[in-house]
Amino acid sequence: MFGFESKDLISHIEELSYEMDKLSVESDDLYSRLTLALKDRRKFKRQVKAEENHVTFRDTFLNNGQQGGWDAATELLKQVNNDLEHHLGLDVSNLDVRIQAYADFEGLSKRCINNGWMKGDADIVKFAHVITGANALIDFVDVGPGKEQAAHKIKEQFKFYIEIPQCEHVLLGIAHDSGYITFLRPFAEDSAIWDRITLLETYRLHPDFKTLDFKRRIQLPTVFTHQSPPIVQRFPESTQSTTTGSGQQITQLGKGPYHHFGVDGSRLGPMIINVQGERVDEPLSIKSNFASWIGRVKLCPRLYLQGHCVGGNCRFNHKISPLTAKEYEALWVIHRRTRCSAKGSCRNPKCFRGHSE
């Protein structure tokens, strides 16, 4: 009985040993195939842009509707691939570019309009939708008001991608906000990580970013604007505030004058002279919302239509950001309601008063 059971046990052990050897071979084969698959997996470079009002697409894109969105996405991918290939020496044929942009669309739209980068009738939402739809790996996301919303997204996405080996490189468009410096400093201590990060510069680079000693900093001038918003320069720096009878606070000049280098006074021309030799006004339309806003802020017509105000006793507002084309026309229409004393005989090319009925 004992000898018979021993033979059966030995046979059973041999069968188990065979099965284990078989599983071992299959396991080794599976491991080899998995390793090969990971090696062959396409790597990618990811670009992140935060607070898009500081990493802003060029006005030629923003003001060209849906075609502008498509062109912006195309040019962005082109320039990122060019940087990967010619400056980092990577094989772009084996790379996927992942682009994630976060912004407060409503705030972004207002800033672009106020800075003169986007017309008042342009639609940032449609623009972003076209960019997102241009490529499966591009996301332009509205995170709502508050820069902390975009910052949270950026930081969490950055931590995820920088720690996986399939991410070859990261391009960060956050150079305007010193709030990221404390977050990035620990990563700067690891050269293996820090060498895989490039800082995207636009018109605004916070000086504290220089303390992080980025290995690479690049600009993409054909994609993003590098022109600072036009400013109103005041000579000398002396202003005071007053309150009108209606209770509305306005800003008035102390001694002046004011110069606005973002205003092109030639937009008031050319003059139109009829067959009787009288000057007539160019037909202009005005939207009610623009007229209401212009009426509330009481802009100085000389500064915002002609580009210069001598100051003195001028009681108009001189501190609003540059106007869009539509806002400019609205201000012009409002002040044409006051007739020029020379009427049809006026030959001042920068006169903004009314000359015809």
PDB file of all heavy atoms in Angstrom, residues 51-56 111 115 117 175-176 200-206 219 224-229:
ATOM      1  N   GLU A  51      -3.722  80.475 -16.844  1.00  0.00           N
ATOM      2  CA  GLU A  51      -4.155  81.865 -16.881  1.00  0.00           C
ATOM      3  C   GLU A  51      -3.866  82.461 -18.251  1.00  0.00           C
ATOM      4  O   GLU A  51      -2.992  83.280 -18.434  1.00  0.00           O
ATOM      5  CB  GLU A  51      -3.474  82.671 -15.781  1.00  0.00           C
ATOM      6  CG  GLU A  51      -3.941  82.270 -14.395  1.00  0.00           C
ATOM      7  CD  GLU A  51      -3.391  83.189 -13.336  1.00  0.00           C
ATOM      8  OE1 GLU A  51      -3.793  84.353 -13.325  1.00  0.00           O
ATOM      9  OE2 GLU A  51      -2.553  82.736 -12.560  1.00  0.00           O
ATOM     10  N   GLU A  52      -4.636  82.039 -19.201  1.00  0.00           N
ATOM     11  CA  GLU A  52      -4.373  82.323 -20.607  1.00  0.00           C
ATOM     12  C   GLU A  52      -4.277  83.808 -20.930  1.00  0.00           C
ATOM     13  O   GLU A  52      -3.747  84.184 -21.965  1.00  0.00           O
ATOM     14  CB  GLU A  52      -5.490  81.688 -21.451  1.00  0.00           C
ATOM     15  CG  GLU A  52      -5.285  81.746 -22.936  1.00  0.00           C
ATOM     16  CD  GLU A  52      -4.189  80.811 -23.400  1.00  0.00           C
ATOM     17  OE1 GLU A  52      -3.805  79.922 -22.629  1.00  0.00           O
ATOM     18  OE2 GLU A  52      -3.732  80.975 -24.537  1.00  0.00           O
ATOM     19  N   ASN A  53      -4.752  84.666 -20.037  1.00  0.00           N
ATOM     20  CA  ASN A  53      -4.622  86.092 -20.300  1.00  0.00           C
ATOM     21  C   ASN A  53      -3.169  86.542 -20.254  1.00  0.00           C
ATOM     22  O   ASN A  53      -2.833  87.637 -20.717  1.00  0.00           O
ATOM     23  CB  ASN A  53      -5.422  86.915 -19.275  1.00  0.00           C
ATOM     24  CG  ASN A  53      -5.055  86.552 -17.847  1.00  0.00           C
ATOM     25  OD1 ASN A  53      -5.203  85.411 -17.445  1.00  0.00           O
ATOM     26  ND2 ASN A  53      -4.581  87.510 -17.079  1.00  0.00           N
ATOM     27  N   HIS A  54      -2.285  85.731 -19.672  1.00  0.00           N
ATOM     28  CA  HIS A  54      -0.866  86.066 -19.649  1.00  0.00           C
ATOM     29  C   HIS A  54      -0.072  85.220 -20.637  1.00  0.00           C
ATOM     30  O   HIS A  54       1.090  85.510 -20.886  1.00  0.00           O
ATOM     31  CB  HIS A  54      -0.301  85.910 -18.241  1.00  0.00           C
ATOM     32  CG  HIS A  54      -0.866  86.895 -17.270  1.00  0.00           C
ATOM     33  ND1 HIS A  54      -0.686  88.258 -17.418  1.00  0.00           N
ATOM     34  CD2 HIS A  54      -1.618  86.729 -16.165  1.00  0.00           C
ATOM     35  CE1 HIS A  54      -1.295  88.889 -16.422  1.00  0.00           C
ATOM     36  NE2 HIS A  54      -1.870  87.971 -15.654  1.00  0.00           N
ATOM     37  N   VAL A  55      -0.633  84.162 -21.153  1.00  0.00           N
ATOM     38  CA  VAL A  55      -0.042  83.389 -22.248  1.00  0.00           C
ATOM     39  C   VAL A  55      -1.101  83.404 -23.340  1.00  0.00           C
ATOM     40  O   VAL A  55      -1.846  82.455 -23.513  1.00  0.00           O
ATOM     41  CB  VAL A  55       0.302  81.949 -21.809  1.00  0.00           C
ATOM     42  CG1 VAL A  55       1.033  81.226 -22.936  1.00  0.00           C
ATOM     43  CG2 VAL A  55       1.150  81.952 -20.553  1.00  0.00           C
ATOM     44  N   THR A  56      -1.160  84.513 -24.050  1.00  0.00           N
ATOM     45  CA  THR A  56      -2.298  84.813 -24.901  1.00  0.00           C
ATOM     46  C   THR A  56      -1.958  84.635 -26.375  1.00  0.00           C
ATOM     47  O   THR A  56      -0.902  85.078 -26.835  1.00  0.00           O
ATOM     48  CB  THR A  56      -2.764  86.266 -24.666  1.00  0.00           C
ATOM     49  OG1 THR A  56      -2.920  86.473 -23.254  1.00  0.00           O
ATOM     50  CG2 THR A  56      -4.077  86.526 -25.368  1.00  0.00           C
ATOM     51  N   ARG A 111     -10.114  90.669 -20.463  1.00  0.00           N
ATOM     52  CA  ARG A 111      -8.733  91.150 -20.455  1.00  0.00           C
ATOM     53  C   ARG A 111      -8.212  91.346 -21.875  1.00  0.00           C
ATOM     54  O   ARG A 111      -7.504  92.309 -22.160  1.00  0.00           O
ATOM     55  CB  ARG A 111      -7.841  90.166 -19.698  1.00  0.00           C
ATOM     56  CG  ARG A 111      -8.140  90.098 -18.206  1.00  0.00           C
ATOM     57  CD  ARG A 111      -7.173  89.182 -17.489  1.00  0.00           C
ATOM     58  NE  ARG A 111      -7.567  89.003 -16.094  1.00  0.00           N
ATOM     59  CZ  ARG A 111      -8.256  87.986 -15.638  1.00  0.00           C
ATOM     60  NH1 ARG A 111      -8.619  87.023 -16.464  1.00  0.00           N
ATOM     61  NH2 ARG A 111      -8.571  87.899 -14.363  1.00  0.00           N
ATOM     62  N   ASN A 115      -7.123  94.959 -23.253  1.00  0.00           N
ATOM     63  CA  ASN A 115      -5.734  95.139 -23.662  1.00  0.00           C
ATOM     64  C   ASN A 115      -5.580  95.393 -25.155  1.00  0.00           C
ATOM     65  O   ASN A 115      -4.469  95.570 -25.644  1.00  0.00           O
ATOM     66  CB  ASN A 115      -4.903  93.905 -23.283  1.00  0.00           C
ATOM     67  CG  ASN A 115      -4.700  93.784 -21.792  1.00  0.00           C
ATOM     68  OD1 ASN A 115      -4.812  94.766 -21.062  1.00  0.00           O
ATOM     69  ND2 ASN A 115      -4.398  92.590 -21.319  1.00  0.00           N
ATOM     70  N   TRP A 117      -6.222  93.280 -27.560  1.00  0.00           N
ATOM     71  CA  TRP A 117      -5.803  92.091 -28.302  1.00  0.00           C
ATOM     72  C   TRP A 117      -6.968  91.439 -29.041  1.00  0.00           C
ATOM     73  O   TRP A 117      -6.749  90.646 -29.960  1.00  0.00           O
ATOM     74  CB  TRP A 117      -5.188  91.062 -27.356  1.00  0.00           C
ATOM     75  CG  TRP A 117      -3.915  91.508 -26.729  1.00  0.00           C
ATOM     76  CD1 TRP A 117      -2.978  92.343 -27.282  1.00  0.00           C
ATOM     77  CD2 TRP A 117      -3.414  91.152 -25.437  1.00  0.00           C
ATOM     78  NE1 TRP A 117      -1.938  92.530 -26.419  1.00  0.00           N
ATOM     79  CE2 TRP A 117      -2.179  91.806 -25.274  1.00  0.00           C
ATOM     80  CE3 TRP A 117      -3.898  90.351 -24.417  1.00  0.00           C
ATOM     81  CZ2 TRP A 117      -1.407  91.685 -24.122  1.00  0.00           C
ATOM     82  CZ3 TRP A 117      -3.144  90.222 -23.266  1.00  0.00           C
ATOM     83  CH2 TRP A 117      -1.912  90.879 -23.125  1.00  0.00           C
ATOM     84  N   ALA A 175       5.049  81.380 -16.429  1.00  0.00           N
ATOM     85  CA  ALA A 175       6.128  82.271 -16.000  1.00  0.00           C
ATOM     86  C   ALA A 175       5.637  83.612 -15.470  1.00  0.00           C
ATOM     87  O   ALA A 175       6.432  84.409 -14.986  1.00  0.00           O
ATOM     88  CB  ALA A 175       7.096  82.505 -17.164  1.00  0.00           C
ATOM     89  N   HIS A 176       4.352  83.877 -15.557  1.00  0.00           N
ATOM     90  CA  HIS A 176       3.806  85.150 -15.088  1.00  0.00           C
ATOM     91  C   HIS A 176       3.472  85.133 -13.610  1.00  0.00           C
ATOM     92  O   HIS A 176       3.282  86.188 -13.005  1.00  0.00           O
ATOM     93  CB  HIS A 176       2.519  85.461 -15.851  1.00  0.00           C
ATOM     94  CG  HIS A 176       1.465  84.412 -15.633  1.00  0.00           C
ATOM     95  ND1 HIS A 176       1.491  83.200 -16.299  1.00  0.00           N
ATOM     96  CD2 HIS A 176       0.391  84.368 -14.801  1.00  0.00           C
ATOM     97  CE1 HIS A 176       0.461  82.473 -15.894  1.00  0.00           C
ATOM     98  NE2 HIS A 176      -0.212  83.146 -14.985  1.00  0.00           N
ATOM     99  N   LEU A 200       8.062  78.386 -20.799  1.00  0.00           N
ATOM    100  CA  LEU A 200       7.571  79.195 -21.914  1.00  0.00           C
ATOM    101  C   LEU A 200       7.454  80.649 -21.466  1.00  0.00           C
ATOM    102  O   LEU A 200       6.761  80.959 -20.507  1.00  0.00           O
ATOM    103  CB  LEU A 200       6.212  78.678 -22.386  1.00  0.00           C
ATOM    104  CG  LEU A 200       5.496  79.514 -23.444  1.00  0.00           C
ATOM    105  CD1 LEU A 200       6.297  79.540 -24.738  1.00  0.00           C
ATOM    106  CD2 LEU A 200       4.093  78.972 -23.694  1.00  0.00           C
ATOM    107  N   GLU A 201       8.127  81.542 -22.166  1.00  0.00           N
ATOM    108  CA  GLU A 201       8.085  82.968 -21.853  1.00  0.00           C
ATOM    109  C   GLU A 201       7.181  83.697 -22.829  1.00  0.00           C
ATOM    110  O   GLU A 201       7.185  83.408 -24.025  1.00  0.00           O
ATOM    111  CB  GLU A 201       9.484  83.580 -21.927  1.00  0.00           C
ATOM    112  CG  GLU A 201      10.455  83.057 -20.889  1.00  0.00           C
ATOM    113  CD  GLU A 201      11.790  83.756 -20.974  1.00  0.00           C
ATOM    114  OE1 GLU A 201      11.883  84.762 -21.706  1.00  0.00           O
ATOM    115  OE2 GLU A 201      12.739  83.310 -20.317  1.00  0.00           O
ATOM    116  N   THR A 202       6.431  84.675 -22.319  1.00  0.00           N
ATOM    117  CA  THR A 202       5.680  85.586 -23.178  1.00  0.00           C
ATOM    118  C   THR A 202       6.095  87.004 -22.796  1.00  0.00           C
ATOM    119  O   THR A 202       7.233  87.232 -22.418  1.00  0.00           O
ATOM    120  CB  THR A 202       4.168  85.368 -23.019  1.00  0.00           C
ATOM    121  OG1 THR A 202       3.810  85.519 -21.638  1.00  0.00           O
ATOM    122  CG2 THR A 202       3.773  83.969 -23.479  1.00  0.00           C
ATOM    123  N   TYR A 203       5.169  87.956 -22.901  1.00  0.00           N
ATOM    124  CA  TYR A 203       5.539  89.338 -22.625  1.00  0.00           C
ATOM    125  C   TYR A 203       5.804  89.588 -21.142  1.00  0.00           C
ATOM    126  O   TYR A 203       6.413  90.579 -20.771  1.00  0.00           O
ATOM    127  CB  TYR A 203       4.439  90.294 -23.121  1.00  0.00           C
ATOM    128  CG  TYR A 203       3.178  90.289 -22.283  1.00  0.00           C
ATOM    129  CD1 TYR A 203       3.030  91.136 -21.188  1.00  0.00           C
ATOM    130  CD2 TYR A 203       2.135  89.415 -22.572  1.00  0.00           C
ATOM    131  CE1 TYR A 203       1.885  91.120 -20.412  1.00  0.00           C
ATOM    132  CE2 TYR A 203       0.978  89.408 -21.809  1.00  0.00           C
ATOM    133  CZ  TYR A 203       0.860  90.265 -20.732  1.00  0.00           C
ATOM    134  OH  TYR A 203      -0.267  90.248 -19.972  1.00  0.00           O
ATOM    135  N   ARG A 204       5.338  88.706 -20.296  1.00  0.00           N
ATOM    136  CA  ARG A 204       5.471  88.927 -18.864  1.00  0.00           C
ATOM    137  C   ARG A 204       6.182  87.755 -18.202  1.00  0.00           C
ATOM    138  O   ARG A 204       5.653  86.660 -18.145  1.00  0.00           O
ATOM    139  CB  ARG A 204       4.095  89.124 -18.228  1.00  0.00           C
ATOM    140  CG  ARG A 204       4.155  89.402 -16.728  1.00  0.00           C
ATOM    141  CD  ARG A 204       2.756  89.537 -16.153  1.00  0.00           C
ATOM    142  NE  ARG A 204       2.795  89.700 -14.706  1.00  0.00           N
ATOM    143  CZ  ARG A 204       1.727  89.697 -13.926  1.00  0.00           C
ATOM    144  NH1 ARG A 204       0.540  89.542 -14.464  1.00  0.00           N
ATOM    145  NH2 ARG A 204       1.844  89.841 -12.632  1.00  0.00           N
ATOM    146  N   LEU A 205       7.409  87.979 -17.721  1.00  0.00           N
ATOM    147  CA  LEU A 205       8.174  86.964 -16.994  1.00  0.00           C
ATOM    148  C   LEU A 205       8.412  87.492 -15.586  1.00  0.00           C
ATOM    149  O   LEU A 205       9.070  88.514 -15.390  1.00  0.00           O
ATOM    150  CB  LEU A 205       9.503  86.683 -17.678  1.00  0.00           C
ATOM    151  CG  LEU A 205      10.476  85.784 -16.902  1.00  0.00           C
ATOM    152  CD1 LEU A 205       9.898  84.388 -16.746  1.00  0.00           C
ATOM    153  CD2 LEU A 205      11.833  85.731 -17.591  1.00  0.00           C
ATOM    154  N   HIS A 206       7.854  86.799 -14.592  1.00  0.00           N
ATOM    155  CA  HIS A 206       8.056  87.230 -13.221  1.00  0.00           C
ATOM    156  C   HIS A 206       9.532  87.062 -12.874  1.00  0.00           C
ATOM    157  O   HIS A 206      10.119  85.990 -13.086  1.00  0.00           O
ATOM    158  CB  HIS A 206       7.188  86.405 -12.264  1.00  0.00           C
ATOM    159  CG  HIS A 206       7.039  87.030 -10.922  1.00  0.00           C
ATOM    160  ND1 HIS A 206       8.044  87.037  -9.987  1.00  0.00           N
ATOM    161  CD2 HIS A 206       5.997  87.716 -10.358  1.00  0.00           C
ATOM    162  CE1 HIS A 206       7.648  87.664  -8.905  1.00  0.00           C
ATOM    163  NE2 HIS A 206       6.396  88.085  -9.106  1.00  0.00           N
ATOM    164  N   GLN A 219      10.550  81.021 -26.354  1.00  0.00           N
ATOM    165  CA  GLN A 219       9.428  81.861 -26.740  1.00  0.00           C
ATOM    166  C   GLN A 219       8.835  81.310 -28.031  1.00  0.00           C
ATOM    167  O   GLN A 219       9.550  80.730 -28.844  1.00  0.00           O
ATOM    168  CB  GLN A 219       9.873  83.309 -26.947  1.00  0.00           C
ATOM    169  CG  GLN A 219      10.423  83.969 -25.699  1.00  0.00           C
ATOM    170  CD  GLN A 219      10.842  85.407 -25.940  1.00  0.00           C
ATOM    171  OE1 GLN A 219      10.905  85.871 -27.073  1.00  0.00           O
ATOM    172  NE2 GLN A 219      11.111  86.130 -24.868  1.00  0.00           N
ATOM    173  N   PHE A 224       2.022  83.129 -29.631  1.00  0.00           N
ATOM    174  CA  PHE A 224       1.537  83.940 -28.518  1.00  0.00           C
ATOM    175  C   PHE A 224       2.051  85.376 -28.628  1.00  0.00           C
ATOM    176  O   PHE A 224       3.153  85.618 -29.128  1.00  0.00           O
ATOM    177  CB  PHE A 224       1.990  83.344 -27.189  1.00  0.00           C
ATOM    178  CG  PHE A 224       1.564  81.920 -26.989  1.00  0.00           C
ATOM    179  CD1 PHE A 224       2.491  80.889 -27.020  1.00  0.00           C
ATOM    180  CD2 PHE A 224       0.225  81.607 -26.799  1.00  0.00           C
ATOM    181  CE1 PHE A 224       2.110  79.570 -26.845  1.00  0.00           C
ATOM    182  CE2 PHE A 224      -0.174  80.293 -26.626  1.00  0.00           C
ATOM    183  CZ  PHE A 224       0.762  79.281 -26.647  1.00  0.00           C
ATOM    184  N   THR A 225       1.237  86.314 -28.131  1.00  0.00           N
ATOM    185  CA  THR A 225       1.640  87.710 -28.182  1.00  0.00           C
ATOM    186  C   THR A 225       2.800  87.961 -27.232  1.00  0.00           C
ATOM    187  O   THR A 225       2.857  87.421 -26.128  1.00  0.00           O
ATOM    188  CB  THR A 225       0.462  88.637 -27.823  1.00  0.00           C
ATOM    189  OG1 THR A 225       0.892  89.994 -27.922  1.00  0.00           O
ATOM    190  CG2 THR A 225      -0.039  88.394 -26.404  1.00  0.00           C
ATOM    191  N   HIS A 226       3.742  88.782 -27.669  1.00  0.00           N
ATOM    192  CA  HIS A 226       4.873  89.194 -26.840  1.00  0.00           C
ATOM    193  C   HIS A 226       4.877  90.705 -26.671  1.00  0.00           C
ATOM    194  O   HIS A 226       5.877  91.286 -26.275  1.00  0.00           O
ATOM    195  CB  HIS A 226       6.190  88.720 -27.465  1.00  0.00           C
ATOM    196  CG  HIS A 226       6.413  87.250 -27.306  1.00  0.00           C
ATOM    197  ND1 HIS A 226       7.215  86.710 -26.329  1.00  0.00           N
ATOM    198  CD2 HIS A 226       5.889  86.192 -27.976  1.00  0.00           C
ATOM    199  CE1 HIS A 226       7.200  85.390 -26.419  1.00  0.00           C
ATOM    200  NE2 HIS A 226       6.412  85.049 -27.407  1.00  0.00           N
ATOM    201  N   GLN A 227       3.747  91.308 -26.967  1.00  0.00           N
ATOM    202  CA  GLN A 227       3.612  92.758 -26.864  1.00  0.00           C
ATOM    203  C   GLN A 227       2.840  93.099 -25.594  1.00  0.00           C
ATOM    204  O   GLN A 227       1.717  92.649 -25.395  1.00  0.00           O
ATOM    205  CB  GLN A 227       2.892  93.324 -28.091  1.00  0.00           C
ATOM    206  CG  GLN A 227       2.784  94.837 -28.084  1.00  0.00           C
ATOM    207  CD  GLN A 227       2.112  95.351 -29.340  1.00  0.00           C
ATOM    208  OE1 GLN A 227       1.517  94.577 -30.104  1.00  0.00           O
ATOM    209  NE2 GLN A 227       2.208  96.641 -29.573  1.00  0.00           N
ATOM    210  N   SER A 228       3.443  93.901 -24.743  1.00  0.00           N
ATOM    211  CA  SER A 228       2.758  94.309 -23.520  1.00  0.00           C
ATOM    212  C   SER A 228       1.551  95.154 -23.858  1.00  0.00           C
ATOM    213  O   SER A 228       1.524  95.846 -24.881  1.00  0.00           O
ATOM    214  CB  SER A 228       3.719  95.102 -22.619  1.00  0.00           C
ATOM    215  OG  SER A 228       4.822  94.318 -22.251  1.00  0.00           O
ATOM    216  N   PRO A 229       0.520  95.133 -23.001  1.00  0.00           N
ATOM    217  CA  PRO A 229      -0.655  95.966 -23.249  1.00  0.00           C
ATOM    218  C   PRO A 229      -0.266  97.430 -23.317  1.00  0.00           C
ATOM    219  O   PRO A 229       0.586  97.884 -22.555  1.00  0.00           O
ATOM    220  CB  PRO A 229      -1.536  95.689 -22.016  1.00  0.00           C
ATOM    221  CG  PRO A 229      -1.056  94.407 -21.468  1.00  0.00           C
ATOM    222  CD  PRO A 229       0.401  94.332 -21.784  1.00  0.00           C
TER     223      PRO A 229
END
